[in-house]
Amino acid sequence: DQKRLESGAAAIVRDGARAFGLAPGALSNDEASWRSWSAVCAESLPSCRLRAVVDLCDAVAADVRTNLKRDTSAEDLLPCMSYSAARAVVVGIAPDLLASLRYAQSHLRHCGARSKAGYCLVTAQVAVQVVADQSSNAAPEPVPRHAGDALADEHGSRCPIS
C-alpha cells in the first residue's frame, strides 16, 4: 500500500496541480499545507495525530480560502488535500502515512465519527486514497541499463548507451 501511495504521489507531482484538477491558484502558497502532513506522522499519541489531521484540514482550507477568496467547498478541499499529501510523500516528510491515519482513527471513537475530527479524518483518508489510486498513472519503473546495452530510437536505429 505504501509503495502504491509513493507511486501515485510521484505521478501527481510530476503531472502538476492543474493536471490533477486543482482550481488555478488554489494552492499558490501551499508549503504550510503539505508540511502539515508531517505532524500527522510525527505525533506519538493517536489523539494528537487526530488533532494534527484537524489542523491539516484547517490549514488546507485556509490556504484555499485565502487564494481563491471564497469559502472552501468539498470540491476544492479534496483535490487540494490530495495534492498536498502527494507533495509531502514525494518530499519524504510523511512516512508511513497510511498507518498514521489508521492510528489516528483508533482515537475517533472518543470524539465521534460525526464530529469535525471525524469529517477531517475521512477527508484525509479519501485524499490519501486518491493519491494511491493515481499509481496507475505513474511512469513505469526504469529498467536498469548496463554499459553496452542498446536502445532503438524513434526511427528504429540502434545506438549504444555509454
Side-chain angles (χ1 to χ4, degrees):
D1 284 344
Q2 186 68 26
K3 190 86 169 150
R4 263 186 76 227
L5 179 62
E6 291 168 2
S7 177
I12 289 170
V13 171
R14 179 199 67 221
D15 294 344
R18 249 194 206 138
F20 189 60
L22 292 181
L27 287 176
S28 59
N29 184 19
D30 70 330
E31 186 171 341
S33 297
W34 61 266
R35 287 196 178 277
S36 296
W37 287 97
S38 67
V40 173
C41 297
E43 294 293 344
S44 59
L45 297 173
S47 59
C48 294
R49 287 192 190 196
L50 189 56
R51 178 73 240 166
V53 170
V54 172
D55 293 345
L56 163 70
C57 233
D58 289 344
V60 173
D63 197 25
V64 172
R65 200 171 27 256
T66 298
N67 293 324
L68 296 182
K69 299 185 181 4
R70 61 178 160 90
D71 285 337
T72 307
S73 68
E75 289 78 22
D76 297 322
L77 188 60
L78 184 61
C80 290
M81 288 204 43
S82 294
Y83 188 72
S84 65
R87 295 228 9 229
V89 168
V90 166
V91 170
I93 63 171
D96 301 318
L97 185 53
L98 297 168
S100 294
L101 291 173
R102 283 191 296 272
Y103 191 48
Q105 185 175 354
S106 70
H107 186 72
L108 190 59
R109 69 177 173 270
H110 300 292
C111 303
R114 294 179 189 238
S115 64
K116 180 178 180 178
Y119 172 80
C120 290
L121 180 62
V122 168
T123 302
Q125 289 170 326
V126 171
V128 169
Q129 186 60 50
V130 167
V131 173
D133 289 348
Q134 296 302 308
S135 65
S136 61
N137 296 333
E141 293 280 331
V143 177
R145 301 278 179 200
H146 304 286
D149 284 354
L151 288 178
D153 67 14
E154 70 248 15
H155 304 291
S157 303
R158 305 217 21 111
C159 56
I161 299 173
S162 52

